[in-house]
Amino acid sequence: MPLLSLPLAILATALAVTAQTPAYTGDLLIETGNNAGKCLTAASNSNGAAVTISTCTGADAQKWKFEGGSVKVFGSKCLDVIDGKNVNGQKLQIWTCASGNKNQQWYYTPWGDNHLAWTDHGRCMDLTDGKLTDGNRPQIWDCSNKNANQIWTVGYMYNQLPATSQSGQYGTNNCGTSNSQSSKCQTGWINAVDDFCLWGPPEKSTIGDSEQRGVAYCTKRGRGTRLIPDGTLKGVHFVKTPDYVQITGVGDFTKINVPGGDSGGEYDPHGPDNRGNPVGALLYGNSFGNGLQYHEWTSFLSDGEFCIRACTGPNAARNCQHIYDVMGCYWNMPANYDSGKFESCKGDNDEPMGVYGTSTWHQGVKPTPAAHSAAKSSSCTTYATIGQSNLRKKRHTSFEKAHRAHNVVEARATPAPL
């Protein structure tokens, strides 16, 4: 039974049974589910320092590591419930890590739930009053699978990517800037009708046989990925809605290693074991803030069509469902798939895939409902064609300016430009 369908009364018990750390490894940002641009932040490297949220910069005060049942920052400090008071509204601090300190024991629930739960206490870290104001102090509160204030995603700054984000990963995430058709880059971007990436097989292989090893094929040079060859894309339709960006279209994807006749499959950040397909794949974009990581996205690719949607905000998981993997593009993302047309539009949100009024359809149940109608779009701009092009000169983003203000300087491979 999916975790989200469990009655609230047994949620805490179920979470304890499935307790684990995030799939991502190393130093992680802990971001509010309401806005991936706000991060859990320690006020200083001192015992008793307040834990707040603030704009993500990648500073040391925002680099958390899940280790030994604790959540560490600055190497030796742990996320700590002040005085161990098990009451709703109690705030958090950091304190020197101590083995067996129950005030410092936490577990993460990544199976579509993304809660940070205080071990054996039935309470979760909660964004106080849902306020995204810098300096707001998170609290503990009764765990609820219907409270958006308790959703916390984890990830990385786009310009501080690790070599790999998961153990056993086929490729790499810190891809540099040199393109190659043998690249193993597994970091993608989705920005515009002429600036996006698709996941595809690293060698000639069906999607189903290679989805865990998929690599990024992109329209822009300069991100260290493979490139979508000119002439591949026969129609591309970009739309930005209040809660997601989406690109749909058609083409000859045998040019990016999809065998002719392959009806395709789904890529998403969860997969059957919450490691994602591809394992370790990361997706970024600028539509809702510079270089924000999309934690909920879904994509389909076959030999002749593609679709990709990247979602943000409190309804991200609902708008980017990943459980309809055999239903394909047209059913999951109703939109314009016309050949010979290249366009960029604004649009309304589609109805969430699989949701019909107050009912949710589950794949395999007969009869299969029709796809939703595509939502309205407007303000469309058309283009003659879409092919490879160079990235624009890199801009200094607000994240980078704040990052420099914190004097965080690290020796890393050259990050890909925005």
Side-chain angles (χ1 to χ4, degrees):
M1 177 182 290
L3 183 61
L4 288 177
S5 66
L6 291 172
L8 182 58
I10 61 173
L11 175 64
T13 301
L15 296 184
V17 171
T18 59
Q20 55 185 296
T21 59
Y24 296 146
T25 60
D27 293 329
L28 300 172
L29 304 178
I30 300 178
E31 300 162 303
T32 65
N34 289 327
N35 186 325
K38 297 289 185 175
C39 284
L40 195 68
T41 307
S44 70
N45 186 7
S46 302
N47 282 340
V51 173
T52 68
I53 62 162
S54 62
T55 300
C56 300
T57 65
D60 288 345
Q62 296 179 345
K63 294 178 179 178
W64 302 85
K65 181 174 288 187
F66 290 74
E67 190 173 84
S70 295
V71 185
K72 298 182 177 181
V73 67
F74 298 119
S76 62
K77 298 293 194 300
C78 281
L79 183 66
D80 183 286
V81 179
I82 295 176
D83 297 328
K85 290 184 177 179
N86 188 17
V87 295
N88 285 339
Q90 186 70 349
K91 299 298 191 287
L92 305 173
Q93 62 182 3
I94 62 169
W95 202 271
T96 299
C97 299
S99 178
N101 187 341
K102 294 183 179 180
N103 302 346
Q104 300 175 350
Q105 296 298 299
W106 303 86
Y107 59 88
Y108 189 68
T109 63
W111 292 91
D113 181 75
N114 296 343
H115 282 49
L116 186 57
W118 188 18
T119 303
D120 295 331
H121 288 81
R123 289 191 166 89
C124 290
M125 187 167 73
D126 182 286
L127 180 63
T128 303
D129 297 325
K131 292 182 178 179
L132 292 166
T133 309
D134 283 4
N136 187 20
R137 297 189 65 176
Q139 61 188 358
I140 58 167
W141 204 268
D142 293 334
C143 294
S144 168
N145 61 350
K146 296 180 180 179
N147 187 347
N149 297 336
Q150 295 181 0
I151 297 174
W152 301 88
T153 55
V154 299
Y156 311 91
M157 290 291 292
Y158 78 92
N159 56 359
Q160 295 181 5
L161 294 174
T164 57
S165 60
Q166 294 191 39
S167 61
Q169 184 175 338
Y170 169 78
T172 185
N173 295 115
N174 196 339
C175 304
T177 59
S178 299
N179 295 101
S180 166
Q181 293 308 94
S182 61
S183 169
K184 292 185 177 181
C185 182
Q186 292 182 304
T187 299
W189 288 78
I190 176 169
N191 285 325
V193 66
D194 61 348
D195 183 2
F196 66 94
C197 304
L198 299 175
W199 310 112
E203 72 285 322
K204 188 70 75 173
S205 175
T206 65
I207 304 298
D209 288 340
S210 62
E211 59 187 357
Q212 290 189 324
R213 297 179 293 109
V215 296
Y217 292 83
C218 304
T219 60
K220 291 290 187 182
R221 306 182 190 98
R223 293 197 175 108
T225 67
R226 302 187 189 196
L227 294 173
I228 299 174
D230 285 342
T232 299
L233 299 168
K234 307 298 184 183
V236 180
H237 310 276
F238 174 89
V239 62
K240 179 184 177 183
T241 79
D243 292 317
Y244 60 80
V245 288
Q246 176 178 289
I247 306 182
T248 58
V250 293
D252 178 7
F253 299 110
T254 64
K255 295 179 182 293
I256 59 171
N257 284 330
V258 181
D262 184 12
S263 59
E266 182 188 25
Y267 296 103
D268 70 81
H270 300 283
D273 56 3
N274 208 54
R275 301 182 68 211
N277 284 324
V279 173
L282 304 176
L283 185 65
Y284 291 84
N286 301 323
S287 296
F288 298 96
N290 289 319
L292 289 189
Q293 183 176 352
Y294 289 107
H295 298 285
E296 297 292 346
W297 52 268
T298 179
S299 178
F300 290 81
L301 181 69
S302 70
D303 63 345
E305 68 185 31
F306 77 94
C307 56
I308 180 169
R309 178 187 290 180
C311 301
T312 188
N315 295 315
R318 191 167 185 255
N319 290 326
C320 272
Q321 273 288 5
H322 57 92
I323 60 174
Y324 303 109
D325 58 326
V326 303
M327 300 304 295
C329 278
Y330 293 101
W331 192 90
N332 278 277
M333 293 176 236
N336 191 345
Y337 289 84
D338 289 350
S339 180
K341 192 169 184 178
F342 303 85
E343 63 180 4
S344 177
C345 304
K346 296 179 181 178
D348 298 333
N349 289 340
D350 282 334
E351 291 294 321
M353 54 275 277
V355 177
Y356 298 84
T358 59
S359 299
T360 299
W361 177 75
H362 295 279
Q363 187 170 274
V365 175
K366 301 295 183 180
T368 301
H372 292 300
S373 298
K376 293 181 180 179
S377 60
S378 61
S379 304
C380 295
T381 302
T382 59
Y383 299 78
T385 189
I386 299 296
Q388 297 175 13
S389 61
N390 295 324
L391 285 167
R392 294 187 297 273
K393 185 176 180 180
K394 191 173 184 294
R395 305 180 302 277
H396 288 303
T397 69
S398 59
F399 285 163
E400 293 172 299
K401 291 176 182 176
H403 183 66
R404 290 197 303 275
H406 280 80
N407 296 314
V408 180
V409 180
E410 302 182 40
R412 294 179 179 268
T414 303
L418 283 173

